[in-house]
Amino acid sequence: MALRWVVFLLFVGRTGAVGNGQTLTVSERCMQDTNTFLWEINKDEPKEYAVLMYDAFGKLGSNVVGGNSNQPGLLQQCRSAHGPSFSGQYCQLSFLLQQGKVQYFVGICVPDSCEKDDVQTLFNQMSLIPPLPSILVNQSTQEIIMAHCLSNKIAPDTSDITCLSVYDYTLFTFFTVLTTCALPLVLLVKQRQENHCFIGPWLYLRITCFCLFLTQVRMLCYGSNSSHSIHPTQTCSPQSRVYGCLQAFSIQNSSWGVYNTPTSIPVGGYASLNGIRVLSLLWIMCGHSAQFPVINSLDNYKNWRKTVESSPLYVPTISGPVFLAVDTFLLLGGLLSARSLLGSINKDEDKLSLSLVGNYLLKRITRIQPLHLFIMCLTIGLISLVKWGPYWFPFIDTVMDCKTYWWANLLLISNLLPVHEICIPWTWYLSLDFQCYATTPLLVYFYRLNKSVFMIVAAVLLLMTTVTSAVITAHLHLPVFQPSTMTSENYVLYYYVKPHTRYGPFLIGILTGIYLTTKKNPLLKQWAALGWFCCLSLLAVLVGLAYILKETPSNPSMPHALYQGLHRPLWALAVTWIILACEEGYGGFIKRFLSLTFWVPLSNISFACYLIHPVFIILYIGLQETPIHYTDINFMYLFFGHLVLTLAVSYVLTVLVEKPYLLLK
């Protein structure tokens, strides 16, 4: 190996050739430090820094056939090496096998005076990294496609500093102070107004501590439906805005909003929605916990793929027609949006005015944007401060996209951008949800105008979204089965996040909401058994067909197109039946399970859970220095670990950020 270094030094010199015929010059400082390192490592007794740098290089491991082609090396060991005029800097070279179309990376340790362009130039032609054995890669040739380097120093740019100092720090401090002090201040204001007496600072401090303790004890011990209350008796009704703001930012009031059942269950029922929402969220979290690691950090990816493709039992963890839980969320969104708008119309003297529609949309924006933008800014700031590991590079674009396309998240149109330009990629759903939400007033208008016209419009919209999905699938030869969809760029780019392909479940939700709000006659009992049979059969067929159609078509495929166009609306119809049966009293043990009060607080923090859980997954993967090994037990522990952290932090975010905005009047 030492001889290879000498050959590299003699042949490369101060320049390096790149594939397109241009000659790029390596910086003088980088070349000098590289020479120092190379001569040192070739000595009979090299210094410790040179041994550490050399040993930190990535090396080929076992199970290349199973997918262990990445060679991450040792990042921290590289950074611990300190030479006479430089320190070790960890870089990655990404390679592409020309024939097999397999991409892998190799970690290297170079002097910190070298930029990534210097590294790619040095290694482009005279690489010190041997190719993968030809017996394992079918005689493919390798080519360097890019180089990345992780700086040894944390250097936030202007946008990072702005996010951290102006938004996160200010808001978090503001919310923390207010939520701690608000309730005692409310009591102080009320007592002064009623008794005109003075409350001293020591009593104020005792009230503060007592309120923090009593709030949590009351919620946990008495539950959400208890008649016990710690609210002071309302003998007067102060109207000042300051008083209202203090109440909104009170920990007691915002915690009450998390535990209190009426905030999640509208008057008249829908208790089953809490269980459906939480189970759908857990499905999404389970899928993300499996999806993110397999992008680039498994040492047995091929083994994982073979396992999940073999059984429908792996549907919750990236297998089959995965992420149908998103369509369940769209269905619930459509149902509740229709019910909310119809309720507002009834309160406004049965009029659907422009001001009512504007207020309806504004409430939706204030419902989702405060926490959405807080998480976006928190993520940008957090990413700029963490010293990441070798598996961080696939997520770098997330930061770059946020600094360029943050405005799309602000305007709730991020899903209309190419998927690789979406800031905080999992927030595409919020944009889709709001776009669908904005169509509810128009459909309700047609419903109130003429029910026949309404049914025609709804049928045309459902047909259009179904046909559009089928045509796109046939034209682009899209797969319908995970994990094949993960490797299909067109699947996400043109199908998965677009409103014209995902509108069907939301439309069915609007129809369901209108029906439940305006129905006069109960569902006939004789239809209950048939409904459950059709519902469960349809769910089984949708999962089974995905396994039959698991092969990615090389030509336009009618079965794939029909499945892609129909399976999401059909899934929504099946879930709709579950909701209807539970509300009509035909749900049996399923209704009792979905209506447990246990789901209520989890449902109330579900929005924060959805936004924050990918941050924990990315943190975990990005800080790893060695690959993750797939086994069912390992992935189970990953999921439950992410779940516990998500629930704890989501509760805090809901109490400090989300609920105060909802309680402001």
Side-chain angles (χ1 to χ4, degrees):
M1 186 64 187
L3 179 60
R4 186 184 293 271
W5 280 104
V6 176
V7 172
F8 171 80
L9 177 63
L10 294 176
F11 277 84
V12 175
R14 298 176 59 86
T15 63
V18 296
N20 59 5
Q22 297 178 340
T23 300
L24 299 179
T25 303
V26 179
S27 66
E28 182 176 359
R29 174 71 183 279
C30 173
M31 201 65 230
Q32 290 176 351
D33 292 341
T34 302
N35 289 343
T36 301
F37 166 52
L38 294 178
W39 284 117
E40 185 64 41
I41 197 63
N42 277 283
K43 292 180 179 179
D44 293 335
E45 295 184 4
K47 294 181 179 179
E48 183 182 13
Y49 83 88
V51 175
L52 291 175
M53 290 179 64
Y54 174 75
D55 188 47
F57 271 66
K59 301 168 183 65
L60 186 64
S62 303
N63 197 31
V64 176
V65 174
N68 188 25
S69 55
N70 291 327
Q71 304 166 41
L74 296 174
L75 181 145
Q76 294 301 332
Q77 180 173 308
C78 175
R79 286 176 168 173
S80 67
H82 300 287
S85 60
F86 59 87
S87 297
Q89 175 183 230
Y90 180 85
C91 296
Q92 276 185 11
L93 295 174
S94 295
F95 293 88
L96 179 68
L97 299 179
Q98 293 292 342
Q99 296 177 15
K101 300 299 182 183
V102 175
Q103 184 174 336
Y104 69 99
F105 70 83
V106 179
I108 59 174
C109 191
V110 298
D112 59 0
S113 56
C114 296
E115 302 292 338
K116 67 176 184 178
D117 291 335
D118 296 331
V119 174
Q120 186 162 349
T121 301
L122 287 171
F123 283 80
N124 199 281
Q125 273 198 328
M126 304 300 297
S127 177
L128 299 176
I129 302 171
L132 295 178
S134 58
I135 191 174
L136 298 176
V137 293
N138 298 322
Q139 305 296 328
S140 295
T141 58
Q142 68 177 13
E143 175 190 6
I144 297 178
I145 57 175
M146 68 179 68
H148 296 286
C149 291
L150 279 177
S151 174
N152 295 344
K153 299 178 181 179
I154 297 176
D157 59 19
T158 304
S159 60
D160 298 327
I161 296 173
T162 301
C163 256
L164 288 168
S165 60
V166 176
Y167 195 90
D168 289 327
Y169 178 81
T170 302
L171 285 183
F172 196 84
T173 303
F174 177 70
F175 285 131
T176 302
V177 171
L178 277 184
T179 52
T180 303
C181 303
L183 182 60
L185 284 176
V186 169
L187 297 177
L188 173 65
V189 171
K190 296 190 96 176
Q191 189 162 358
R192 280 188 171 182
Q193 289 179 346
E194 296 172 3
N195 302 325
H196 304 285
C197 61
F198 175 73
I199 296 180
W202 285 109
L203 179 58
Y204 176 82
L205 179 61
R206 288 159 58 189
I207 293 175
T208 300
C209 297
F210 177 73
C211 289
L212 288 173
F213 170 75
L214 192 58
T215 295
Q216 303 306 319
V217 172
R218 187 258 177 266
M219 297 303 170
L220 295 176
C221 294
Y222 293 110
S224 56
N225 294 320
S226 174
S227 59
H228 300 275
S229 177
I230 57 174
H231 289 287
T233 304
Q234 298 285 343
T235 58
C236 61
S237 301
Q239 300 297 320
S240 68
R241 293 184 179 181
V242 174
Y243 180 82
C245 289
L246 291 175
Q247 283 189 318
F249 290 106
S250 163
I251 277 187
Q252 183 184 17
N253 286 339
S254 53
S255 295
W256 184 276
V258 171
Y259 290 98
N260 197 16
T261 302
T263 61
S264 290
I265 305 175
V267 177
Y270 295 12
S272 61
L273 297 192
N274 287 317
I276 294 174
R277 181 183 291 113
V278 174
L279 292 176
S280 299
L281 173 68
L282 294 178
W283 185 358
I284 291 174
M285 291 178 60
C286 187
H288 283 162
S289 297
Q291 180 189 26
F292 285 32
V294 304
I295 292 176
N296 203 36
S297 56
L298 285 189
D299 64 1
N300 57 342
Y301 168 77
K302 293 181 180 179
N303 296 340
W304 167 83
R305 179 161 183 163
K306 182 178 179 181
T307 300
V308 300
E309 287 180 345
S310 63
S311 172
L313 296 176
Y314 290 92
V315 167
T317 56
I318 313 297
S319 176
V322 77
F323 288 150
L324 287 170
V326 175
D327 300 287
T328 303
F329 273 126
L330 289 171
L331 171 71
L332 299 183
L335 188 158
L336 295 176
S337 70
R339 181 180 177 87
S340 173
L341 183 57
L342 290 173
S344 299
I345 292 173
N346 291 334
K347 293 179 182 179
D348 196 32
E349 300 179 353
D350 202 35
K351 294 180 180 179
L352 180 60
S353 61
L354 290 178
S355 60
L356 186 146
V357 172
N359 187 54
Y360 163 82
L361 296 177
L362 181 61
K363 284 183 178 179
R364 187 59 180 174
I365 292 175
T366 56
R367 165 71 177 85
I368 63 178
Q369 284 297 72
L371 187 56
H372 172 206
L373 298 180
F374 184 89
I375 295 295
M376 183 180 72
C377 218
L378 177 66
T379 304
I380 295 174
L382 182 65
I383 286 173
S384 68
L385 292 179
V386 174
K387 285 191 174 182
W388 300 95
Y391 293 97
W392 161 240
F393 292 108
F395 303 103
I396 286 181
D397 292 339
T398 299
V399 188
M400 299 299 103
D401 293 339
C402 278
K403 296 177 180 179
T404 306
Y405 300 104
W406 57 269
W407 52 268
N409 289 58
L410 182 63
L411 299 177
L412 292 172
I413 58 172
S414 61
N415 65 317
L416 303 180
L417 299 176
V419 67
H420 55 274
E421 297 177 357
I422 298 177
C423 169
I424 317 296
W426 57 92
T427 60
W428 67 267
Y429 174 80
L430 302 183
S431 298
L432 173 66
D433 176 78
F434 181 76
Q435 292 156 16
C436 295
Y437 199 86
T439 66
T440 304
L442 181 61
L443 289 172
V444 170
Y445 169 78
F446 281 120
Y447 174 78
R448 291 165 52 84
L449 178 67
N450 187 294
K451 292 182 175 58
S452 298
V453 174
F454 167 73
M455 293 306 298
I456 293 174
V457 172
V460 170
L461 288 174
L462 187 59
L463 180 63
M464 287 176 60
T465 186
T466 301
V467 172
T468 301
S469 300
V471 170
I472 291 175
T473 300
H475 179 66
L476 299 177
H477 310 161
L478 299 183
V480 301
F481 182 80
Q482 283 276 29
S484 299
T485 53
M486 293 175 56
T487 57
S488 174
E489 181 179 354
N490 288 335
Y491 179 81
V492 179
L493 192 61
Y494 297 107
Y495 170 76
Y496 190 72
V497 302
K498 303 304 180 184
H500 49 270
T501 59
R502 302 301 296 266
Y503 185 65
F506 195 92
L507 176 59
I508 294 172
I510 293 176
L511 298 177
T512 305
I514 293 175
Y515 168 78
L516 288 174
T517 305
T518 60
K519 70 182 179 70
K520 298 179 180 179
N521 299 318
L523 190 68
L524 295 177
K525 185 175 182 179
Q526 54 265 34
W527 291 102
L530 178 61
W532 277 111
F533 174 79
C534 293
C535 169
L536 298 178
S537 299
L538 185 57
L539 296 178
V541 168
L542 290 176
V543 174
L545 282 177
Y547 282 83
I548 296 175
L549 301 173
K550 67 169 58 178
E551 298 298 329
T552 302
S554 56
N555 297 304
S557 170
M558 181 62 70
H560 286 78
L562 288 176
Y563 181 86
Q564 198 78 288
L566 293 172
H567 80 287
R568 298 190 187 280
L570 291 177
W571 176 271
L573 286 174
V575 178
T576 296
W577 167 258
I578 296 175
I579 297 172
L580 292 177
C582 290
E583 297 309 311
E584 295 288 348
Y586 304 128
F589 73 92
I590 294 180
K591 177 183 179 179
R592 291 193 294 273
F593 174 71
L594 294 177
S595 303
L596 291 173
T597 56
F598 166 77
W599 303 118
V600 174
L602 297 178
S603 178
N604 283 325
I605 66 172
S606 60
F607 180 52
C609 287
Y610 176 80
L611 287 176
I612 198 65
H613 81 270
V615 177
F616 288 114
I617 299 174
I618 291 175
L619 275 172
Y620 175 79
I621 297 171
L623 293 173
Q624 296 299 304
E625 290 197 44
T626 57
I628 300 171
H629 185 76
Y630 161 73
T631 63
D632 290 338
I633 193 69
N634 283 353
F635 270 41
M636 184 187 73
Y637 270 84
L638 282 180
F639 166 68
F640 282 108
H642 297 322
L643 177 62
V644 170
L645 288 173
T646 296
L647 292 177
V649 175
S650 295
Y651 173 80
V652 175
L653 292 174
T654 301
V655 170
L656 297 184
V657 182
E658 181 184 358
K659 289 301 179 182
Y661 277 102
L662 295 179
L663 294 173
L664 284 175
K665 302 296 183 182

